[in-house]
Amino acid sequence: MRLSQQLFVTLRDDPADAEVRSHALMMRAGFMQKLAAGIYVYGPMMWRVLRKVEAIVREEHDKVGAQEMLMPAIQPKELWEESGRWDRYVQDGILFHFRDRKGTEVCLGPTHEEVITTYVKRLVQSYKQLPVTLYQIQTKFRDEIRPRFGLMRGREFIMKDAYSFDTSAEAMAASYTTMRDVYRNIFTRCGLRFTPVEADSGAIGGAGSEEFMVDADTGEDAIAVCRARDYAANVEKASSRISAPDEPESELSMHLEATPNARSCDDLLALFPELPMTRLLKTVLYRAVWDDREQTIAILCRGDRELNEIKIVNHLDCVGLELADEKQVREATGAEPGFAGPIGLADEVHLLADQSVEGVKGFLCGGNQTDMHWLDVWFGRDLEQPETVDFGVVQSGDLMLDSDDVFELTRGIEVGHIFQLGTKYSEAMGATFADENQKIQHMWMGCYGIGVSRVAASAIEQNHDENGMIWPLPIAPYTVHIVQMKAGNEEQDALAAELHDALEAAGIDVLLDDRKKLSPGAKFKDADLVGIPLRVVVGRDAAERMVEYGTRTSEGRDKVSLEEAIEKIKAAIADAGASCS
Ligand code: ATP
Ligand code: MG
């Protein structure tokens, strides 16, 4: 492909809304253009990257016998009512939904469990037809609260989603294991450095779920890693052990103290400098919503720890959870916000505690009166310890549950998620088969997602420098970038064209920068920005059939003959585990 014939425009400056490098660089290189928040046009270069990621995804799925198909983006509400997910998704605000001209409510698919379950249940009658794994690569729609980071969190994005159907829990686990290997192969082939982590399996519970995290400091997910044990889990899921704080020196009786305007832990520590943060219990008020009711929930938690709302939602099995608003706080406590405590809450409030309160003695807590806190409170003596559950966020230095090895925290970008669904959808939607004894059973399902557009963005998040992107070879828009120093020079024109055609004939993606009236400096700048991994410069020595060969990141370039350059390119492609198309 000749660059002179492409619609190719690069920008000098980062877009104002780009918070991460991948976003800024892809915009500057003209790979994509923003149409609205979280909605992008993929330009020709970007589309080439996405198609390469898709090709790897397809090959690895096809290898294990998964079959590609395509489902509609528009889905009827009816199906989502069958599975019982409509209200939760509408409540979350994630669903794009609207009525058609007949007044029937529909949504733009954020995911496809309902559609695939319906499709398969209509086709499968007998155990003889199972197992089966189906997949599609398609645009998904999610009205994300905070679309950002470019393609990382779009409201319209490309996902590969696969679904497996099996006759038993064991068979489902086997399909899941196969897909886990497929995922490892895909992300390895894409040239990403990644960590598989244990993930939260939501209200579905029980069965296994893992996320594939691209290692990146800018990742939105926090990961608890224990290197000694080779274990990693999303902090949403991870559980740890923490030790109880030292007991107070003397056992005083509980008493109310005036704490004017002291609403935060920091305010209180300023008032009571002797008190360790670990003997300060905060009472966090939430409003939980179920399909048929709402309730204020109070959760006690040690001052130095944080609550994990995913664990709270899982425990309560609610469809929504938000911090209580000021009115709800006043109703629950009879006080201004900032003074909530476990003693004397309104009757309808459900009081729970995080496991961090275990063993805390002589603590400070809110007084449920404006400007007042209780001091020297003891569970057992002054109030019963509420039901105590692990609602905490793992912190760096916490211990593993079953050993004295410690967790550290890192960050990652979730590019894939695999999930054992069990019979959740098949039971809700009646997806059954007849077993060997003609007994009707529910199918055992798994689901497996990859954010195709997010994979591309995270590759750049991991591979860039101050000059631009550095594409891993297997997913680069082109494999070779020929920079012709002076377009219009006869020898250079001829040699660049010969190299270009020879590479194309060998099935190698090549971009030839043959733009006229552009300085070599400007061409190199663009080449660095676009980040194509292999580079050949056709310049002064063209008359001798000599070129310079290097990579996007190599310090210098080797002077070689055209034939040698082609050999080196082929070797580099083989090295990267890629093949010529
Ligand atoms: P997240 O926690 O990042 O919101 P999710 O857990 O909701 O993602 P899944 O439902 O597991 O996402 O979707 C499968 C894959 O699709 C994710 O692993 C991720 O790579 C990708 N993905 C999800 N949401 C987006 C988005 N808004 N933009 C781009 N890719 C996304
Ligand atoms: Mg996920």
Side-chain angles (χ1 to χ4, degrees):
M1 172 59 78
R2 289 168 179 270
L3 199 50
S4 60
Q5 290 162 11
Q6 277 203 3
L7 181 57
F8 176 73
V9 181
T10 54
L11 309 174
R12 200 170 319 146
D13 298 314
D14 287 353
D17 64 345
E19 298 170 75
V20 294
R21 289 321 290 157
S22 59
H23 183 194
L25 292 170
M26 287 168 137
M27 294 289 284
R28 269 179 51 199
F31 276 45
M32 58 200 223
Q33 197 180 74
K34 182 169 164 182
L35 199 61
I39 300 177
Y40 291 88
V41 176
Y42 307 121
M45 291 271 195
M46 189 73 231
W47 187 234
R48 292 182 68 90
V49 172
L50 294 171
R51 282 195 355 239
K52 287 202 179 174
V53 175
E54 288 182 7
I56 292 173
V57 166
R58 283 199 172 91
E59 273 178 41
E60 293 299 325
H61 278 73
D62 293 349
K63 244 187 229 170
V64 298
Q67 297 169 69
E68 186 170 3
M69 63 180 305
L70 185 62
M71 289 178 264
I74 297 182
Q75 306 184 11
K77 174 181 180 184
E78 224 175 283
L79 290 187
W80 285 71
E81 285 190 319
E82 263 182 59
S83 70
R85 288 209 292 184
W86 183 265
D87 288 339
R88 187 174 188 150
Y89 273 67
V90 170
Q91 175 92 24
D92 272 357
I94 203 98
L95 206 62
F96 282 104
H97 57 107
F98 55 96
R99 288 182 193 280
D100 66 14
R101 66 167 74 209
K102 293 205 176 110
T104 310
E105 213 163 353
V106 294
C107 67
L108 295 177
T111 176
H112 277 74
E113 281 80 8
E114 284 76 5
V115 180
I116 194 77
T117 307
T118 304
Y119 174 76
V120 169
K121 84 173 181 194
R122 288 175 180 166
L123 297 178
V124 170
Q125 269 99 43
S126 154
Y127 72 96
K128 289 180 195 150
Q129 294 167 283
L130 298 175
V132 63
T133 297
L134 298 156
Y135 76 96
Q136 66 171 349
I137 297 176
Q138 200 214 32
T139 299
K140 294 278 191 280
F141 301 87
R142 294 184 183 181
D143 197 358
E144 300 276 2
I145 307 179
R146 236 174 280 112
R148 56 179 187 163
F149 300 165
L151 301 189
M152 296 269 202
R153 187 166 294 284
R155 293 197 297 159
E156 173 174 335
F157 60 95
I158 303 174
M159 196 202 284
K160 182 286 310 180
D161 43 326
Y163 305 88
S164 61
F165 295 82
D166 278 285
T167 55
S168 67
E170 299 72 45
M172 169 185 71
S175 294
Y176 177 89
T177 305
T178 302
M179 288 303 270
R180 183 203 280 140
D181 292 339
V182 166
Y183 273 46
R184 281 180 184 277
N185 293 342
I186 289 170
F187 298 127
T188 304
R189 280 186 63 188
C190 287
L192 299 170
R193 299 180 292 284
F194 63 95
T195 309
V197 309
E198 261 187 35
D200 171 59
S201 42
I204 298 161
S209 166
E210 279 158 288
E211 289 162 338
F212 288 77
M213 296 287 186
V214 165
D215 310 330
D217 293 340
T218 48
E220 290 186 281
D221 285 271
I223 306 165
V225 181
C226 177
R227 307 221 183 258
R229 300 285 295 276
D230 202 14
Y231 173 82
N234 194 315
V235 286
E236 290 174 352
K237 159 85 180 175
S239 294
S240 63
R241 256 181 325 129
I242 53 176
S243 37
D246 293 339
E247 287 191 21
E249 278 162 19
S250 47
E251 184 175 340
L252 304 174
S253 49
M254 88 176 202
H255 51 107
L256 261 183
E257 287 268 351
T259 52
N261 286 322
R263 292 162 199 269
S264 68
C265 291
D266 287 341
D267 296 340
L268 290 162
L269 289 178
L271 280 182
F272 305 102
E274 304 290 288
L275 195 74
M277 185 85 136
T278 45
R279 283 204 356 248
L280 195 154
L281 297 194
K282 49 191 174 189
T283 307
V284 186
L285 296 179
Y286 290 99
R287 190 73 179 172
V289 179
W290 290 263
D291 287 337
D292 53 351
R293 69 191 176 95
E294 289 188 30
Q295 191 177 15
T296 298
I297 312 289
I299 302 189
L300 273 178
C301 175
R302 220 166 79 180
D304 60 328
R305 310 294 302 188
E306 296 300 325
L307 292 173
N308 176 339
E309 290 178 7
I310 305 244
K311 288 183 181 175
I312 302 172
V313 168
N314 289 347
H315 178 78
L316 297 173
D317 200 14
C318 55
V319 295
L321 185 81
E322 278 183 19
L323 284 174
D325 62 26
E326 292 194 3
K327 180 164 169 276
Q328 289 157 349
V329 171
R330 285 193 196 96
E331 279 168 8
T333 65
E336 286 302 301
F339 303 96
I343 302 164
L345 283 167
D347 284 348
E348 61 273 16
V349 178
H350 182 32
L351 178 65
L352 292 162
D354 170 50
Q355 65 170 11
S356 60
V357 309
E358 205 75 65
V360 181
K361 294 173 179 161
F363 54 84
L364 175 152
C365 60
N368 290 328
Q369 295 176 48
T370 304
D371 292 339
M372 296 300 244
H373 279 83
W374 287 107
L375 264 78
D376 296 299
V377 183
W378 291 63
F379 287 127
R381 189 190 71 181
D382 303 320
L383 82 155
E384 215 176 294
Q385 182 171 335
E387 182 188 350
T388 302
V389 180
D390 170 21
F391 292 131
V393 178
V394 170
Q395 295 180 358
S396 186
D398 284 1
L399 300 176
M400 295 270 296
L401 282 185
D402 56 355
S403 77
D404 286 341
D405 297 306
V406 292
F407 278 116
E408 61 183 280
L409 294 191
T410 63
R411 300 200 75 81
I413 302 165
E414 178 194 328
V415 286
H417 194 169
I418 59 176
F419 216 119
Q420 296 188 30
L421 292 171
T423 55
K424 178 185 156 83
Y425 292 91
S426 55
E427 279 185 37
M429 306 187 74
T432 56
F433 65 95
D435 70 11
E436 289 93 326
N437 308 313
Q438 295 306 313
K439 197 170 149 240
I440 300 300
Q441 304 234 24
H442 288 111
M443 296 179 203
W444 290 79
M445 290 173 56
C447 73
Y448 317 90
I450 290 182
V452 171
S453 38
R454 195 183 275 184
V455 163
S458 52
I460 293 310
E461 212 44 46
Q462 266 188 347
N463 303 285
H464 64 263
D465 61 17
E466 64 282 6
N467 299 321
M469 306 188 274
I470 305 169
W471 285 102
L473 189 146
I475 61 170
Y478 293 90
T479 308
V480 183
H481 196 143
I482 306 174
V483 180
Q484 186 182 337
M485 303 285 267
K486 195 158 195 285
N489 169 296
E490 224 172 281
E491 280 105 14
Q492 288 189 25
D493 282 354
L495 195 68
E498 186 183 342
L499 177 59
H500 172 271
D501 294 351
L503 291 173
E504 276 200 343
I508 297 165
D509 291 327
V510 53
L511 183 70
L512 165 56
D513 190 350
D514 58 346
R515 289 176 294 173
K516 294 211 164 95
K517 298 198 190 89
L518 201 67
S519 71
K523 288 186 179 178
F524 283 122
K525 214 165 176 209
D526 278 349
D528 280 351
L529 179 60
V530 167
I532 292 166
L534 307 181
R535 189 177 297 177
V536 181
V537 180
V538 177
R540 237 175 288 136
D541 304 315
E544 286 86 56
R545 294 178 63 75
M546 295 297 278
V547 297
E548 290 174 24
Y549 170 82
T551 68
R552 162 68 176 76
T553 49
S554 59
E555 285 284 327
R557 285 183 293 270
D558 302 333
K559 209 182 237 196
V560 293
S561 69
L562 180 128
E563 288 70 26
E564 280 170 326
I566 295 175
E567 285 320 304
K568 281 181 183 285
I569 288 165
K570 287 186 175 163
I573 293 172
D575 249 15
S579 56
C580 306
S581 53

